[in-house]
Amino acid sequence: MTSAETQALARGYVAGYNRYLADHGAQLPEACRGKPWVQPMTLAEYRRMAEITAVQAGAAALADGLLGAQPPQPSAKAAQASTQPVDLADAAQAMRELGLLDSPLGSNAWAFGKEVTANGNGMLLGNPHFPWSGPNRFYQLHLTIPGQIDVMGAGIGPYPMVSIGFNKDVAWSHTVSTGKRFTLYELQLAEGDPTTYLVDGKPEKMTSRTIAGRTLWSTRWGPLVVIPRAGLTWNAQTAYALRDANVGNTRMMDAALAFARARSVEDMRQAHAGLGLPWVNTLAADRHGRVLYADVSVVPDVDAAQLERCTPSKPAAALRMAAGLVVLNGARADCAWQQDRRSPVPGLIPIERMPIALRTDWVHNSNDSFFYTHPAQKFEGISPLVGDARLTRPRTRAGLAEIPEMLGRGKVTLQGMQEQLFQNRNFMASVIVPDLRAACAQAPSNEAREGCAALQGWNLRNEVDARGAHVFREFWRNARNIPGVYRVPFDPQQPVATPAGLKMDDAAVAAKVWGALETAVKAIKAAGFALDAPLGSVQRPAITEAPIALHGGDEFEGVLNNLGRQEPAPINAQGLRIDYGSSYVQTVTFDARGPVAQAILTYGQSTNPASPHATDQMELFSRKQWHTLPFHREDVLKARVGEPLRLTARP
């Protein structure tokens, strides 16, 4: 249950949306003006929209599988299907396509405490990587109720609060966490009845309901789901149910209200106790010079011992490491999520058993687990469903390398954080290109030699004037998937230095490396671009035809300033068209008056192509120019660009 204040916020959001539609519906952009799907909103629809935001890391992504789960028809073919081996690589790819493995949503966040900052106060860099269009697009806002709330930052469209931002005492940002939001349950079906399943040997009948002509089947564990590419089907012997921990989660606005009113990072920690954050970490810094890392997101309460005890069939168990799917044994009642009395939501891990770090030096996260928060930070007793020591994001390696280097130059400043982020270092190029250059004398073809020549003069940064950056991107897009490609494999004791190099002394690997470089050269030429073209002439926004040069690099390159595509694709005749990545980028510290904040909304505030604010901040981003945010009333009045809009209730 949400608070009365949050419920009032929801009613206000609905009323505001409907009022705007009534007053301005005839002036909407052509793409939506007069369309039958543009209708007034009900409170129930708003609540459903908010829940969809929460479950996008679970049930929403698997919606087709939920609708497609229907009882099997008796046939020899159906029985045979249950015995077909699963291609684990394809299962993993299926999860990537659904956004449930190596999620395209990501972010960087750094928080620095009084030990390392020039002013002795906290400092924060927030760099969320989100879509540049659609429901997860950020908008800047400043919410003020005198004497009650004064908070500034950015939020997504269906969310009437600041998601990432600051008040007079605290600044915070979020990164997508590694926690699992759901588990699957493998059901043992009763002989001769595929809609009855067994728990501790006793039969239980499934329930069903019809929605919009489709029948949805459910069990004590949740609704049935099919994921054929992962081998999870409904046959005469076995079916699978989905339990999503975020179903019904409308608590996130209460958490946002608590964030907005926080006066310290300790207050921020307490604000997490209600378990409202659906799938993100929080990093924060306060004016007192303390910093926070917390992954107190919604995670099923399943510990390592229960994972071992509740192991399903071998094919289903193999999906956890290969495809990130946690499948439990649904034939045992003791495989239900644990019930910790300290948890405000039965079945979820309480704050007392989630990873939290309070420090006075620094913390960071780039979408790998809590394990890499800080080299000296240790955590114990954390469920594997929250995260582990695997390191999958090159940006994590980049952060662990660049933060100590930045600190080695002196105390941290806002300008220093900004410059570090926008240096656009290509981390994977730094550990790969030297070996490739060393092998270029043996390049076996004209294309390989041309690729080598393009990379020889590149300074391994993704700046708008960089020549060779697009060649590396197209090369590494494919070469990174070559089995055994690294000369030095991953060593958990050296997470920054490994894996590294190219195993060019292995003839088979070398042949594939050269093949990847040849493919990259051919693709760039076929797209109509020169191999020595500056990156800014190749990398442009997809949301406008304005020729705005963009700096930054893709996720798999390990460029902290991450730019890419919501649907990854190689270079084509349009170049590298960007619609995802660095979005609302903020740097915040504090002085005697309150927050000192500079930020860029990389694509601009307006979605109306005719607005002067559609791409104005994209131009700033291209030039690496940061905008000082007017937090205090007198600064707001000076910066105002339009007349105030005052709404009165209609009679």
Side-chain angles (χ1 to χ4, degrees):
M1 179 64 68
T2 56
S3 67
E5 190 173 18
T6 288
Q7 293 176 44
L9 267 172
R11 293 192 298 272
Y13 182 99
V14 171
Y17 173 89
N18 291 340
R19 174 69 180 269
Y20 185 88
L21 189 61
D23 291 351
H24 301 284
Q27 289 81 46
L28 292 175
E30 185 177 351
C32 51
R33 185 170 60 244
K35 297 296 189 290
W37 45 266
V38 180
Q39 297 290 332
M41 182 189 299
T42 66
L43 186 59
E45 288 170 335
Y46 170 78
R47 287 172 175 159
R48 181 58 179 157
M49 178 174 63
E51 185 178 9
I52 288 173
T53 298
V55 301
Q56 63 180 292
L62 293 169
D64 288 344
L66 294 168
L67 294 172
Q70 299 300 316
Q73 298 299 317
S75 69
K77 183 177 180 181
Q80 182 181 9
S82 66
T83 64
Q84 295 299 310
V86 177
D87 183 337
L88 292 176
D90 187 58
Q93 181 58 29
M95 293 304 101
R96 289 189 186 95
E97 292 169 7
L98 292 171
L100 295 177
L101 182 68
D102 302 333
S103 171
L105 296 179
S107 303
N108 307 306
W110 300 350
F112 298 96
K114 58 187 176 183
E115 291 184 34
V116 298
T117 58
N119 61 5
N121 300 322
M123 292 188 183
L124 179 92
L125 166 69
N127 176 216
H129 304 149
F130 262 54
W132 288 12
S133 60
N136 281 326
R137 181 195 197 276
F138 281 115
Y139 298 85
Q140 289 177 272
L141 66 159
H142 188 175
L143 303 177
T144 303
I145 302 175
Q148 295 189 45
I149 193 171
D150 193 4
V151 59
M152 194 174 194
I156 60 175
Y159 191 64
M161 282 297 296
V162 168
S163 176
I164 290 174
F166 55 92
N167 59 30
K168 71 182 183 66
D169 297 302
V170 184
W172 66 91
S173 195
H174 295 303
T175 63
V176 176
S177 95
T178 55
K180 301 298 181 186
R181 314 305 162 192
F182 65 89
T183 66
L184 297 158
Y185 280 90
E186 186 173 64
L187 307 178
Q188 179 184 344
L189 303 181
E191 186 174 354
D193 183 0
T195 60
T196 296
Y197 60 103
L198 305 178
V199 179
D200 293 340
K202 298 178 181 179
E204 295 188 11
K205 194 70 178 174
M206 297 178 188
T207 60
S208 65
R209 57 189 176 123
T210 300
I211 300 177
R214 304 296 294 268
T215 301
L216 299 179
W217 294 86
S218 194
T219 70
R220 68 155 67 185
W221 307 117
L224 266 67
V225 65
V226 293
I227 313 175
R229 289 173 65 183
L232 306 182
T233 60
W234 188 352
N235 56 58
Q237 295 82 35
T238 309
Y240 295 86
L242 169 73
R243 186 176 180 188
D244 190 328
N246 271 312
V247 169
N249 181 10
T250 56
R251 303 178 300 277
M252 64 186 99
M253 276 201 291
D254 280 323
L257 280 169
F259 286 3
R261 292 171 170 144
R263 294 295 171 255
S264 66
V265 293
E266 177 58 32
D267 287 349
M268 293 291 292
R269 189 190 76 82
Q270 291 295 335
H272 287 78
L275 305 182
L277 298 189
W279 33 263
V280 293
N281 305 292
T282 301
L283 290 93
D286 66 23
R287 66 163 50 255
H288 311 291
R290 293 172 294 187
V291 297
L292 165 80
Y293 164 84
D295 186 352
V296 188
S297 54
V298 168
V299 179
D301 196 348
V302 178
D303 60 21
Q306 187 175 4
L307 280 174
E308 181 68 24
R309 185 179 74 247
C310 293
T311 300
S313 63
K314 286 185 178 181
L319 293 171
R320 183 162 76 92
M321 297 303 294
L325 292 173
V326 177
V327 187
L328 303 176
N329 186 349
R332 294 178 54 169
D334 66 352
C335 290
W337 297 351
Q338 298 176 47
Q339 305 283 314
D340 189 320
R341 288 179 296 177
R342 295 171 295 181
S343 179
V345 185
L348 302 189
I349 302 176
I351 187 173
E352 291 83 357
R353 292 171 36 226
M354 293 293 278
I356 299 173
L358 289 163
R359 304 182 65 90
T360 53
D361 50 3
W362 60 273
V363 291
H364 93 123
N365 185 268
S366 290
N367 307 119
D368 280 302
S369 84
F370 59 87
F371 191 90
Y372 296 100
T373 299
H374 184 284
Q377 184 69 40
K378 306 300 179 186
F379 300 95
E380 295 182 355
I382 306 299
S383 166
L385 266 62
V386 182
D388 55 33
R390 281 180 293 179
L391 194 159
T392 63
R393 306 281 187 163
R395 286 182 291 104
T396 300
R397 299 174 67 186
L400 288 171
E402 293 192 33
I403 290 174
E405 179 184 310
M406 180 175 65
L407 295 176
R409 295 195 297 268
K411 298 286 188 175
V412 179
T413 64
L414 288 194
Q415 183 180 7
M417 291 191 298
Q418 295 167 1
E419 290 176 352
Q420 194 70 41
L421 176 66
F422 284 168
Q423 282 184 4
N424 293 304
R425 298 185 184 187
N426 191 311
F427 184 85
M428 292 311 300
S430 72
V431 298
I432 292 300
V433 169
D435 277 7
L436 185 61
R437 287 172 173 165
C440 277
Q442 289 78 45
S445 66
N446 287 333
E447 287 88 357
R449 285 188 286 274
E450 289 179 290
C452 282
L455 293 172
Q456 286 295 343
W458 179 38
N459 67 354
L460 311 185
R461 298 192 182 191
N462 285 50
E463 303 281 43
V464 294
D465 59 354
R467 298 178 184 273
H470 63 305
V471 177
F472 178 77
R473 181 175 304 179
E474 297 310 302
F475 159 71
W476 193 238
R477 187 189 302 280
N478 295 315
R480 65 196 173 103
N481 296 317
I482 297 171
V485 70
Y486 294 108
R487 174 171 49 80
V488 182
F490 176 64
D491 178 355
Q493 301 303 314
Q494 301 183 75
V496 176
T498 63
L502 294 172
K503 199 174 184 180
M504 299 302 284
D505 59 353
D506 183 314
V509 170
K512 292 177 181 178
V513 167
W514 292 125
L517 185 57
E518 291 163 357
T519 298
V521 168
K522 291 175 182 177
I524 293 167
K525 287 183 173 180
F529 292 92
L531 299 179
D532 62 350
L535 180 63
S537 69
V538 181
Q539 184 165 270
R540 300 189 294 119
I543 62 173
T544 177
E545 290 305 314
I548 301 174
L550 298 177
H551 51 92
D554 214 324
E555 170 72 24
F556 58 82
E557 297 178 282
V559 181
L560 290 169
N561 178 27
N562 180 14
L563 297 186
R565 290 191 54 80
Q566 294 186 58
E567 296 183 6
I571 193 170
N572 59 31
Q574 296 297 311
L576 297 165
R577 302 300 294 270
I578 304 301
D579 63 0
Y580 166 87
S582 292
S583 49
Y584 171 69
V585 191
Q586 67 171 13
T587 55
V588 186
T589 190
F590 304 90
D591 63 13
R593 293 180 69 211
V596 177
Q598 293 187 315
I600 308 173
L601 185 65
T602 57
Y603 33 75
Q605 178 77 341
S606 177
T607 58
N608 184 349
S611 169
H613 304 298
T615 59
D616 55 347
Q617 292 195 63
M618 190 180 293
E619 297 277 6
L620 294 178
F621 173 68
S622 178
R623 298 192 297 269
K624 303 182 182 180
Q625 293 181 353
W626 295 72
H627 176 62
T628 299
L629 299 182
F631 180 80
H632 302 285
R633 177 173 175 79
E634 56 270 32
D635 297 329
V636 171
L637 293 175
K638 290 177 183 177
R640 197 177 75 193
V641 296
E643 291 303 311
L645 172 65
R646 292 183 171 86
L647 296 179
T648 56
R650 286 174 169 162

